[in-house]
Amino acid sequence: MTVLSLVIFLPLAAALVLAVVPGIPDAVARWAWVAVTAVEVVLVAVLWAGFERPGDGGVAFEEQVAWIPTVGSSYHVGVDGLSLPLLALTAVVFLACAVHAVAERDRPRPQSALFLFLQTSCLGVFAAQDLILFFLFFDLSIVGMYFVIAGWGHGNAAASALKFFLYTFLGSLALLLGFIGLYLFSEPRTFDMVELAESAPLDGNPVAGGFVLGAILLGLAIKTPTFPFHTWLPPAHTDAPAIGSAVLAGILLKLGTYGFVRIAMPMLPAAWRDWAWVIVVVGIVSVLYGALVALAQTDLKRMIAYTSVNHMGYVVLAVGAAGVAGGTDTQARELAVTGALTQMVSHGLITAALFLLAGVLRARAGTYHMSAFGGLASVAPRFAVLFAVGAFASLGLPGFSGFIAEFQIFAGAIGAVPWTALALPGILLTAALFLLATQRLLTGEVREKAVGFTDLRASEVLSIGPLLLLSLLIGVFPRPLLELIEPAAAVVVDLVGR
């Protein structure tokens, strides 16, 4: 077993131990979850340190074993500059959630096992180099999050979990239909992602290519989610536990945007160019709509949920612009795709931290409504500092990862497609909504639910603080991340423009 396979399946092995072995104390289960996720961070760091850029279209730490040879499917895993940053993001966010949950007492053993299972499913998606393997892990992530929301959620958790499952499972069926289309038109027939990216089997068939891309885009757009496929997201976030929302926003939404750059763009380049204008329009609408609706929210968690529609809209805008530009401005297109990948990492860190902070409000006061608070800066200074940092990071303040990502996205997208500047007001709206939230929660007189509010515990600081610190480090020292992403982004742009 390679280090990469160990990274993927170690959490699953630990989950099986927690689920099957009788008599494991709750405290042991909690700390086992922390220990396994900490080991995962170390193992991913080893992968990062040992990573050597593969040849164009290739992957590092590759492992391929026959699985379903009759349909050309294998256990094929590997990483490149597109997937390794997201593997690292997954490891970090799950460790933060494990630390955050140390003090919780609600069925810790099954919860720890479920999140470890969910971690394997997410890691598997980012490492998969076979479409059937990708689909398997993709669907398992839906199952895992369904039980997280239904089992540990609040409010109308059962209905929100069902809505999440039905929407995203419908998307996965559309995705499977698209994968079958790629398989049927490949020669020889295969589900291998590296071979499909090299051959682009539908490039000479615009009608079939359009239908296959449409099915794949539908599945990925629901998962991302983009407008108008986002309606499952606010209730799922509102009723999910804090750590569930952190994983849902920080990691699961990236499964959709990652699919754009890993599957749709390189495997269906001609169809992507044909549909690129539509994708750009959807991105612009998602940016503006997400920000406007978030601005109108009084519930903090719903507000953060709608900012995810806004921030993922930037990613959709960027990858769409990379197709519209054709071969006219390669540098701008590469910059846009690099910004899209950077945005995935940045949004995962910052939004996971914000959802954990929102969870603190409900744990202390039983509500997310911002009008119920005020003056938290004086009674909970640690909470106030971290929330303010998270808010400024999310609105794209220079010095944080969000600024690096959004600057690259707009510089690349506008350089390729000038009218993408229509999405720029989304940044102003995002700034307004986070400043208003900061004002409502932290300033003014101490009132209502803020009276007697207990400040962050050590486990909460240790889970939230490092996520925001990483965003700051990327904002100040972006080169280690960009050096990993840029060559892979150039490969994607080259494949789209062929």
Side-chain angles (χ1 to χ4, degrees):
M1 178 181 286
T2 65
V3 176
L4 180 56
S5 289
L6 181 62
V7 167
I8 296 169
F9 292 108
L10 177 61
L12 179 61
L16 291 174
V17 171
L18 291 178
V20 173
V21 176
I24 297 178
D26 289 344
V28 172
R30 281 287 186 222
W31 286 107
W33 182 18
V34 173
V36 171
T37 51
V39 170
E40 285 287 292
V41 170
V42 173
L43 290 174
V44 172
V46 170
L47 288 178
W48 195 301
F51 179 79
E52 295 182 3
R53 179 189 168 192
D56 288 351
V59 291
F61 304 106
E62 188 172 19
E63 183 177 357
Q64 188 168 13
V65 179
W67 182 32
I68 315 175
T70 53
V71 295
S73 180
S74 63
Y75 171 77
H76 188 188
V77 294
V79 296
D80 60 6
L82 302 177
S83 54
L84 186 53
L86 296 174
L87 283 176
L89 173 67
T90 301
V92 168
V93 169
F94 273 92
L95 175 58
C97 291
V99 172
H100 192 85
V102 161
E104 294 183 10
R105 297 291 177 263
D106 185 9
R107 294 162 292 155
R109 182 176 161 186
Q111 186 184 61
S112 300
L114 182 57
F115 271 84
L116 287 166
F117 165 82
L118 187 57
Q119 183 170 2
T120 283
S121 67
C122 295
L123 292 167
V125 169
F126 296 132
Q129 298 298 325
D130 180 275
L131 290 178
I132 297 298
L133 192 64
F134 180 100
F135 180 78
L136 171 67
F137 285 121
F138 189 92
D139 260 18
L140 289 177
S141 72
I142 297 172
V143 174
M145 185 52 65
Y146 167 80
F147 284 110
V148 167
I149 299 171
W152 283 266
H154 43 262
N156 199 9
S160 296
L162 182 62
K163 188 173 185 179
F164 160 80
F165 185 87
L166 292 178
Y167 262 76
T168 52
F169 190 68
L170 173 64
S172 75
L173 293 178
L175 198 62
L176 180 61
L177 181 62
F179 290 173
I180 292 172
L182 281 167
Y183 167 78
L184 292 176
F185 281 90
S186 61
E187 186 59 46
R189 288 182 175 175
T190 181
F191 284 104
D192 191 87
M193 294 163 69
V194 176
E195 293 180 16
L196 289 168
E198 289 176 353
S199 63
L202 283 155
D203 260 15
N205 193 330
V207 175
F211 277 111
V212 170
L213 180 63
I216 291 174
L217 284 180
L218 176 61
L220 298 176
I222 291 174
K223 191 76 167 184
T224 298
T226 65
F227 177 89
F229 307 110
H230 66 285
T231 54
W232 62 265
L233 184 68
H237 272 309
T238 302
D239 296 332
I243 54 176
S245 290
V247 168
L248 179 57
I251 308 302
L252 263 67
L253 301 192
K254 311 307 176 294
L255 305 187
T257 51
Y258 174 72
F260 292 140
V261 295
R262 172 61 70 199
I263 298 171
M265 296 176 74
M267 296 182 196
L268 295 156
W272 185 269
R273 293 192 299 269
D274 292 341
W275 285 53
W277 295 100
V278 176
I279 296 166
V280 170
V281 170
V282 170
I284 293 173
V285 173
S286 296
V287 167
L288 298 177
Y289 172 85
L292 283 168
V293 178
L295 185 61
Q297 301 303 309
T298 58
D299 182 296
L300 178 65
K301 220 178 181 199
R302 289 182 71 89
M303 185 202 81
I304 300 170
Y306 277 110
T307 65
S308 291
V309 178
N310 164 266
H311 284 91
M312 290 298 94
Y314 294 133
V315 177
V316 176
L317 169 69
V319 295
V324 170
T328 58
D329 193 339
T330 300
Q331 186 176 3
R333 297 162 66 214
E334 290 177 2
L335 186 60
V337 175
T338 300
L341 266 295
T342 307
Q343 176 73 342
M344 293 184 212
V345 175
S346 173
H347 177 266
L349 294 170
I350 297 167
T351 306
L354 288 172
F355 274 121
L356 293 178
L357 286 165
V360 171
L361 293 184
R362 190 180 189 282
R364 303 289 197 276
T367 182
Y368 299 116
H369 286 283
M370 290 180 280
S371 60
F373 298 92
L376 284 176
S378 60
V379 298
R382 291 192 294 274
F383 177 92
V385 167
L386 290 180
F387 185 84
V389 170
F392 283 111
S394 191
L395 63 83
L397 188 74
F400 290 97
S401 57
F403 173 77
I404 300 296
E406 291 171 17
F407 174 80
Q408 290 179 111
I409 286 171
F410 279 107
I414 293 174
V417 186
W419 57 269
T420 55
L422 291 171
L424 280 171
I427 296 177
L428 181 63
L429 293 169
T430 303
L433 68 91
F434 273 112
L435 290 175
L436 283 173
T438 302
Q439 183 182 45
R440 290 169 180 170
L441 290 172
L442 307 184
T443 64
E445 297 181 0
V446 179
R447 63 179 186 272
E448 295 185 43
K449 300 294 185 179
V451 176
F453 190 93
T454 305
D455 208 352
L456 297 180
R457 298 187 294 264
S459 61
E460 293 164 340
V461 173
L462 290 174
S463 63
I464 299 165
L467 296 175
L468 297 176
L469 179 60
L470 282 172
S471 175
L472 176 63
L473 289 175
I474 293 171
V476 177
F477 304 108
R479 285 313 305 163
L481 178 62
L482 297 183
E483 286 173 354
L484 189 64
I485 293 174
E486 286 169 349
V491 172
V492 172
V493 169
D494 180 62
L495 290 172
V496 171
R498 64 185 167 187

